[in-house]
């Protein structure tokens, strides 16, 4: 066990150095490929003054995508991204249905049928100083 | 130094155990150092709103706000100087936070300085030293959310400042001062990475509307990598490669075809082969790998191509290394291929049954020239503009087929969106695929033709043979040495990039062809473009192609030596061709260096 010949020692050193180079190279590669240049998507949307959304209205905001509900309980927003794999859900008479894998939600975003297993995400809506409603997706 | 046989099995287990330990260590190092999260610059969602009213306007000068701005000491000189230029020239109007000339900012000045329009210094009857600020003109904010939207990136902002600012004396700022101010304004806007020196070669990568992730300094990691590889290279040299016992898989494959059990030592003699062919294969592999990596970031669209290259070289971790490696390997390949061609002709090695392989090699030479040219054009920056126009217009001069060839290459009436897409496809797919096929065929034929040309067995002065282990060992050694050299060159010398081609492009440009086409550029000065730009270079290629068919060749026993008697004519011809190219290239360079 102690008799490591000069040749074997050299070979061991060289091979481990080459392996280390390769490992560092792979590490660098991961960092190279992991770079993100694109800016993060917006998390705040200005959706205009509150009077655009009268009582008992349900307004689809397709660019977010979300639905703004104004009822007796007040203003609230629900994300229209399916909690299963993120497709935008469509309105049905019972509520919403996902066109991709047929998850169903009721009119308030409660899950009715899988494969999704969570309710739709509730989004924060607030009226800011500029007098407009702002919707926050985070 | 003889080890007793009973010990042979034990060191082996020891080696495997140590290897395991090393592997574990390597994984830990890898995880801890390389997977470190890239720190990001704080995005700038909420810069202080421009209209923040100061609740109690101070009656006199707000000296604190009029002080010289403070810049963090670890930032670049450029930014520090920019803060001073901004303070001296821009701040009075554009505000200490870049808010523009708001009421709140006017309040920072003394009372006597707020009535500029009524006392006349900025009014319609301003004295000679004053300047006019029209009352209806809003002095815009230069920082804050939703500001600077008319500028895509730092390059745009710099160009605007250089041409239009300060408003009362446009053009007063030097180019350098404009960069300094740009850097400072973008730091007010909170999109400027720290320790980042703006210049024409990276400013397009810095957006005005959202911060880019803070670039990190790759150099230490790079030096460590190069150092380790160098140590490994020393280790390889120190080993006696001939006694290496690398295990080969039982089933023979293409690799075995390239590495027969033994080959004559003469075929691996560096002073005969110059190692050029093997080196070319290595460079091609480097080009393939780095090229694939570049494809992850390169965007082949005119507005984005040069910008994406600036992103690779100045922001992406190790991106500059990847691009420099790709660039320098391509340049080296051109040189190495030329040396290889010269070696083959000057030793007469292309004779008889090897002449097909000679033609394949020549075909690869053409492909590499085209790859170099298309790759060069993919930069789509100011540096390539004229080479692109000249290169494609040359195609048009070819009788009968010229216009069709132009269509094929450019894909439209003039270089534009579709041409970049075409050049991209030619470069990364068609030419590369052709290159892979020809290269595979070429090295296959080398062995099929009996290896590198050496005398028949009975006529050899040196009849020793080397094993495939030795051959592989030598190849690894050459690759490691070439790799170290490439890494060093790529760390020290950046590949060229200039500002993107835009509508508003200015009249400063580099009209020089890439170095490997300088000789064509020189020829084109002589007159008719078809004759000198197309026919003449084609004649060169034809002359090279007919060497093994029409000119006297060496005979079998002249193989394996330099300057054999049999093909003297071909040697003279190639030397004349080579000298012509070198002289033409020098002529193309000289006039500008004399100026």
């Amino acid at each position: 066990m102690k008799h490591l010949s000069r040749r074997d020692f050299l070979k061991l050193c060289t091979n481990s150095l080459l392996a280390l180079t390769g490992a560092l190279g792979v590490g660098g590669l991961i960092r190279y490929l992991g770079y993100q240049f694109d800016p993060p998507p917006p998390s705040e949307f200005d959706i205009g003054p509150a009077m655009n959304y009268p009582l008992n209205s349900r307004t689809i905001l397709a660019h977010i995508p979300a639905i703004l509900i104004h009822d007796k309980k007040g203003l609230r927003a629900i994300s229209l991204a399916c909690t299963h794999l993120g497709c935008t859900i469509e309105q049905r008479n019972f509520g919403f249905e996902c066109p991709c894998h047929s998850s169903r939600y009721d009119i308030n975003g409660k899950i009715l049928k899988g494969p999704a297993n969570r309710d739709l995400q509730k989004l924060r809506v607030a009226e800011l100083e500029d007098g407009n409603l702002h919707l926050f997706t985070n | 130094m003889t080890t007793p046989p009973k010990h042979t099995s034990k060191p082996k287990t020891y080696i495997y155990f140590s290897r395991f330990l090393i592997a574990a260590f390597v994984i830990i190092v890898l995880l801890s150092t390389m997977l470190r999260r890239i720190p990001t610059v704080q995005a700038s969602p909420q810069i202080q709103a421009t209209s923040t009213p100061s609740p109690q306007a101070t009656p006199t000068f707000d000296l604190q706000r009029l002080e010289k701005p403070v810049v963090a000491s670890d930032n670049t000189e450029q930014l520090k100087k920019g803060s001073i230029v901004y303070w001296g020239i821009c701040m009075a109007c554009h505000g200490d936070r870049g808010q523009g000339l708001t009421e709140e900012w006017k309040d920072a000045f003394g009372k006597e300085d707020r009535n500029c329009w009524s006392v006349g210094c900025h009014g319609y009857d301003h004295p000679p030293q004053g300047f006019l600020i029209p009352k209806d003109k809003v002095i815009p904010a230069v920082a804050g959310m939703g500001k600077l939207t008319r500028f895509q990136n730092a390059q745009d902002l710099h160009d605007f400042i250089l041409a239009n600012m300060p408003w009362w004396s446009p053009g007063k700022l030097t180019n350098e001062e404009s960069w300094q101010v740009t850097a400072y304004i973008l730091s007010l806007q909170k999109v400027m990475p720290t320790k980042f020196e703006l210049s024409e070669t990276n400013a397009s990568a810095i957006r005005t509307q959202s911060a880019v992730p803070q670039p990190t300094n790759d150099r230490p990691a790079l030096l460590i990598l190069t150092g380790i590889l160098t140590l490994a290279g020393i280790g390889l040299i120190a080993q006696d490669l001939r006694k290496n016992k690398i295990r080969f898989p039982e089933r023979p494959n293409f690799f075995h075809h390239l590495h027969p059990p033994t080959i004559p030592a003469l075929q691996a003699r560096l002073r005969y082969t110059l190692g050029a062919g093997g080196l070319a294969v290595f460079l091609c592999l480097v080009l393939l790998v780095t090229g694939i990596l570049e494809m992850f970031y390169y965007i082949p669209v005119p507005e984005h191509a040069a910008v994406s290259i600036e992103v690779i070289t100045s922001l992406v971790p190790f991106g500059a290394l990847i691009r420099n490696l790709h660039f320098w390997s391509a340049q080296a390949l051109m040189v190495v291929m030329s040396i290889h061609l010269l070696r083959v002709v000057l030793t007469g090695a292309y004779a008889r049954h090897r002449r097909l392989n000679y033609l394949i090699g020549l075909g690869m030479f053409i492909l590499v020239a085209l790859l170099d040219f298309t790759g060069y054009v993919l930069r789509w920056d100011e540096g390539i503009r004229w080479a692109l126009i000249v290169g494609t217009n040359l195609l048009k001069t070819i009788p009968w087929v010229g216009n069709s060839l132009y269509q094929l290459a450019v894909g439209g009436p003039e270089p534009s969106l579709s041409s970049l897409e075409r050049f991209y496809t030619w470069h990364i797919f068609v030419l590369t695929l052709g290159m892979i096929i020809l290269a595979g065929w070429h090295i296959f034929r080398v062995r099929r033709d009996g290896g590198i040309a050496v005398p028949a067995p009975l006529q050899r002065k040196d009849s020793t043979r080397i094993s495939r282990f030795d051959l592989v060992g030598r190849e690894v050694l050459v690759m490691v040495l070439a790799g170290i050299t490439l890494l060093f060159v790529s760390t020290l010398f950046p590949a060229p990039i200039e500002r993107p081609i835009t509508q508003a492009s200015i009249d400063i440009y580099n009209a020089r062809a890439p170095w490997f086409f300088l000789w064509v550029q020189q020829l084109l000065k002589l007159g008719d473009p078809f004759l000198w730009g197309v026919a003449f270079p084609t004649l060169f290629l034809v002359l090279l192609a007919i060497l093994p068919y029409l000119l006297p060749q060496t005979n079998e026993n002249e193989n394996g030596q330099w300057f054999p008697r049999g093909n003297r004519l071909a040697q003279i011809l190639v030397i004349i061709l080579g000298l012509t190219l070198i002289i033409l290239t020098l002529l193309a360079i000289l006039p500008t260096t004399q100026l």
Side-chain angles (χ1 to χ4, degrees), chain B residues 345 350 358 542-553 570 573-574:
Chain B
V345 176
Y350 57 84
Y358 173 82
V542 170
L543 283 177
L544 284 176
I546 59 164
L547 288 188
Y549 295 91
L550 295 181
L551 294 180
Q553 302 176 27
L573 183 68
V574 165

Side-chain angles (χ1 to χ4, degrees), chain A residues 1 3-4 7 10-11 14-18 20-21 23-24 27-33 35-39, chain B residues 7 11 14 19 22 26 30 34-35 205 207 210 213 216 225 228 231-232 235 239-240 243 293 297 315-317:
Chain A
M1 163 127 203
H3 286 265
L4 189 66
R7 157 183 307 287
L10 254 179
K11 210 169 132 182
T14 310
N15 288 351
S16 44
L17 283 170
L18 283 176
L20 189 62
T21 313
L24 284 175
L29 192 68
I30 292 170
R31 283 203 44 205
Y32 174 81
L33 294 178
Y35 184 84
Q36 285 191 347
F37 178 70
D38 290 347
Chain B
H7 279 257
Y14 173 72
R19 272 189 194 159
I22 288 163
V26 159
L30 185 139
M34 298 313 238
L35 285 178
R207 296 177 293 229
S210 58
T216 50
L225 185 78
I228 292 172
L231 286 178
Q239 288 181 53
D240 193 352
K243 287 168 193 158
L293 289 177
Y297 287 102
L315 295 177
V316 179

Side-chain angles (χ1 to χ4, degrees), chain B residues 67-69 78-101 105 139-143 161 173 177 180-188:
Chain B
E67 273 295 309
K68 194 158 71 176
Q78 187 182 50
L79 189 62
K80 288 178 195 161
K81 284 183 181 154
S83 74
I84 294 171
V85 177
Y86 185 84
W87 178 57
I89 299 176
C90 326
M91 192 171 88
C93 291
H94 290 289
D96 60 341
R97 291 191 302 268
Q99 66 269 58
L101 195 59
W105 173 238
I139 295 179
V142 294
I161 291 175
L173 295 174
E177 285 169 332
Q180 293 164 357
V181 173
T182 306
Y184 184 69
I185 288 175
L186 290 180
S187 77
L188 289 176

Side-chain angles (χ1 to χ4, degrees), chain B residues 363-440:
Chain B
M364 281 199 286
F365 212 115
I366 298 169
L367 284 185
V368 167
L370 291 174
L371 275 164
D372 268 11
F373 184 75
T374 50
Y376 171 81
V377 165
L378 288 186
R379 276 164 50 189
W380 215 258
D381 62 5
E382 281 297 333
I384 64 107
R385 174 186 281 234
W386 301 106
L388 170 66
I389 288 172
V390 170
T392 49
N393 276 342
L394 264 186
L395 288 175
K396 272 192 195 163
T397 66
I398 303 172
W400 304 303
V401 293
N403 280 323
S404 321
L405 276 178
Y406 185 86
Q407 279 291 324
L408 201 66
V410 179
E414 63 171 15
S416 63
L417 180 65
S418 30
S419 356
L420 179 52
E421 187 63 42
R422 287 206 174 201
F423 277 107
Y424 185 61
T425 311
W426 284 114
H427 186 77
I428 66 150
F429 188 72
V430 184
L431 294 171
T432 304
L433 186 67
M435 192 65 196
I436 290 171
I437 292 169
L438 286 193

Side-chain angles (χ1 to χ4, degrees), chain B residues 5-288:
Chain B
K6 57 178 177 177
H7 279 257
T8 46
S9 66
K10 278 187 179 174
K12 222 178 206 173
T13 43
Y14 173 72
I15 288 172
Y16 286 129
F17 180 65
S18 339
R19 272 189 194 159
F20 172 74
L21 277 185
I22 288 163
F25 170 73
V26 159
I27 288 165
I28 290 164
V29 168
L30 185 139
L31 287 177
S32 58
T33 67
M34 298 313 238
L35 285 178
R36 197 159 42 115
R37 277 190 135 210
I38 305 158
T40 49
V41 173
Q42 278 292 314
S44 58
Q46 303 270 307
I47 221 168
Q48 201 105 53
T50 52
S51 56
T52 316
S54 58
Q56 277 138 10
T58 30
T60 50
F61 285 93
D62 187 343
L63 289 177
Q64 218 184 337
R65 293 185 68 184
L66 296 175
E67 273 295 309
K68 194 158 71 176
V70 183
V71 175
S73 60
D74 63 339
N75 228 316
T76 55
E77 278 305 304
Q78 187 182 50
L79 189 62
K80 288 178 195 161
K81 284 183 181 154
S83 74
I84 294 171
V85 177
Y86 185 84
W87 178 57
I89 299 176
C90 326
M91 192 171 88
C93 291
H94 290 289
D96 60 341
R97 291 191 302 268
Q99 66 269 58
L101 195 59
T102 58
E103 290 305 318
E104 167 265 340
W105 173 238
K106 280 184 199 166
D107 287 345
F109 291 89
K111 245 184 195 144
E112 59 280 15
D113 277 19
R114 283 177 218 163
N115 54 357
C116 321
W117 289 274
S118 52
V119 299
C121 43
H122 296 331
Y124 282 94
D125 52 350
H126 59 83
Q129 297 307 315
F131 55 92
L132 179 69
I133 300 178
K135 266 195 173 164
D136 53 343
K137 190 166 175 69
V138 177
I139 295 179
V142 294
M145 195 158 176
K147 305 298 177 217
L148 297 179
T149 41
R150 58 190 283 202
F151 308 108
Q152 284 266 313
N153 51 45
Q155 181 77 55
D156 293 349
L157 179 59
H158 160 267
D159 293 350
F160 180 83
I161 291 175
L162 182 61
N164 301 301
M165 286 287 134
W167 182 79
W168 37 274
S169 175
K172 185 179 187 287
L173 295 174
T174 62
N175 193 35
E176 204 179 329
E177 285 169 332
S178 302
W179 282 122
Q180 293 164 357
V181 173
T182 306
Y184 184 69
I185 288 175
L186 290 180
S187 77
L188 289 176
Q189 174 80 340
K190 296 206 165 59
V191 295
M192 186 70 197
T194 49
K195 295 181 190 167
F196 191 90
E197 181 100 16
L198 282 180
S199 72
E200 288 213 332
T201 61
N202 61 22
S204 300
I206 306 297
R207 296 177 293 229
T208 60
Q209 295 306 305
S210 58
V212 294
Q214 172 71 35
T216 50
N217 186 7
D218 305 330
R219 213 160 248 214
L222 216 58
L223 287 177
I224 293 172
L225 185 78
T226 317
I228 292 172
L229 196 61
T230 311
L231 286 178
I234 293 170
L236 278 175
I237 294 171
Q239 288 181 53
D240 193 352
L241 294 170
R242 260 165 291 191
K243 287 168 193 158
N244 254 352
K245 285 190 180 55
I246 303 163
R247 272 176 211 290
F248 275 76
E250 299 282 307
R251 211 182 129 113
N253 56 28
F254 187 57
F255 192 69
H256 290 82
H257 172 79
L258 300 181
H259 302 91
T262 65
I263 62 165
L266 284 176
Q267 289 185 347
R269 187 176 277 182
L270 202 62
R271 66 169 183 266
Y272 173 60
T273 67
L274 303 180
L279 209 51
V281 173
F282 173 67
L283 290 171
C284 286
L285 291 177
V286 173
L287 282 163
L288 200 63

